[in-house]
């Protein structure tokens, strides 16, 4: 499955990046990071833009892990590992683009 292959490639990429080791909630000013360091955010976009809630947002448009960095930029590998694991296990959620695509492919 291409989705799982993509997640594995992202995991490998995260392990190779020069991450500063700070957690997603750190809220540091980007100018405080060492030159050449990186931070990563893991978010799956989905939802149906035809369904807008009372606040004008699309429900399920950004699927983030309830643990880990929760979709925030992070430089801490254990947090990113949690985020990637969540995305790996929820790719079939009904509020993702992938679910609709797989459903259409099966028909």
């Amino acid at each position: 499955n291409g989705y799982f292959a993509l997640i594995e490639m992202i995991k490998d990429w995260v392990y190779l990046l020069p991450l500063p080791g700070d957690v997603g909630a750190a809220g540091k000013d980007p100018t405080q990071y060492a030159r050449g360091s990186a931070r990563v955010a893991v978010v799956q976009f989905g939802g149906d833009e035809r369904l807008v809630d009372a606040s004008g947002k699309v429900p399920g448009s950004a699927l983030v892990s309830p643990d880990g960095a929760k979709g925030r930029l992070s430089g801490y590998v254990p947090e990113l590992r949690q985020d990637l694991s969540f995305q790996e296990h929820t790719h079939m959620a009904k509020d993702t683009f992938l679910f609709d695509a797989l459903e259409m492919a099966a028909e």
Side-chain angles (χ1 to χ4, degrees), residues 27-40:
K28 289 170 72 174
D29 181 332
T31 60
Q32 296 175 326
Y33 292 105
R35 211 173 143 88
S37 66
R39 296 175 80 206
V40 177

Side-chain angles (χ1 to χ4, degrees), residues 10-55:
I10 294 171
K11 284 180 187 176
D12 291 344
W13 176 68
V14 163
Y15 296 137
L16 294 173
L17 285 174
L19 299 172
D22 63 319
V23 296
K28 289 170 72 174
D29 181 332
T31 60
Q32 296 175 326
Y33 292 105
R35 211 173 143 88
S37 66
R39 296 175 80 206
V40 177
V42 181
V43 179
Q44 183 182 157
F45 293 99
D48 185 341
E49 69 279 354
R50 295 169 295 182
L51 306 173
V52 179
D53 66 15
S55 67

Side-chain angles (χ1 to χ4, degrees), residues 9 13-14 18 21 26-27 36-37 50 54 59-60 62 69-70 74 81 100:
M9 288 173 52
W13 176 68
V14 163
S37 66
R50 295 169 295 182
K70 301 177 181 138
S74 175
R81 194 179 304 128
D100 293 335

Side-chain angles (χ1 to χ4, degrees), residues 39-95:
R39 296 175 80 206
V40 177
V42 181
V43 179
Q44 183 182 157
F45 293 99
D48 185 341
E49 69 279 354
R50 295 169 295 182
L51 306 173
V52 179
D53 66 15
S55 67
K57 295 182 179 178
V58 177
S61 61
L63 187 63
V64 298
S65 170
D67 303 309
K70 301 177 181 138
R72 295 180 296 237
L73 287 169
S74 175
Y76 188 53
V77 171
E79 261 188 348
L80 295 170
R81 194 179 304 128
Q82 283 182 305
D83 288 353
L84 288 165
S85 177
F86 171 81
Q87 295 297 347
E88 187 173 22
H89 293 97
T90 57
H91 76 286
M92 291 288 291
K94 284 198 176 285
D95 56 353

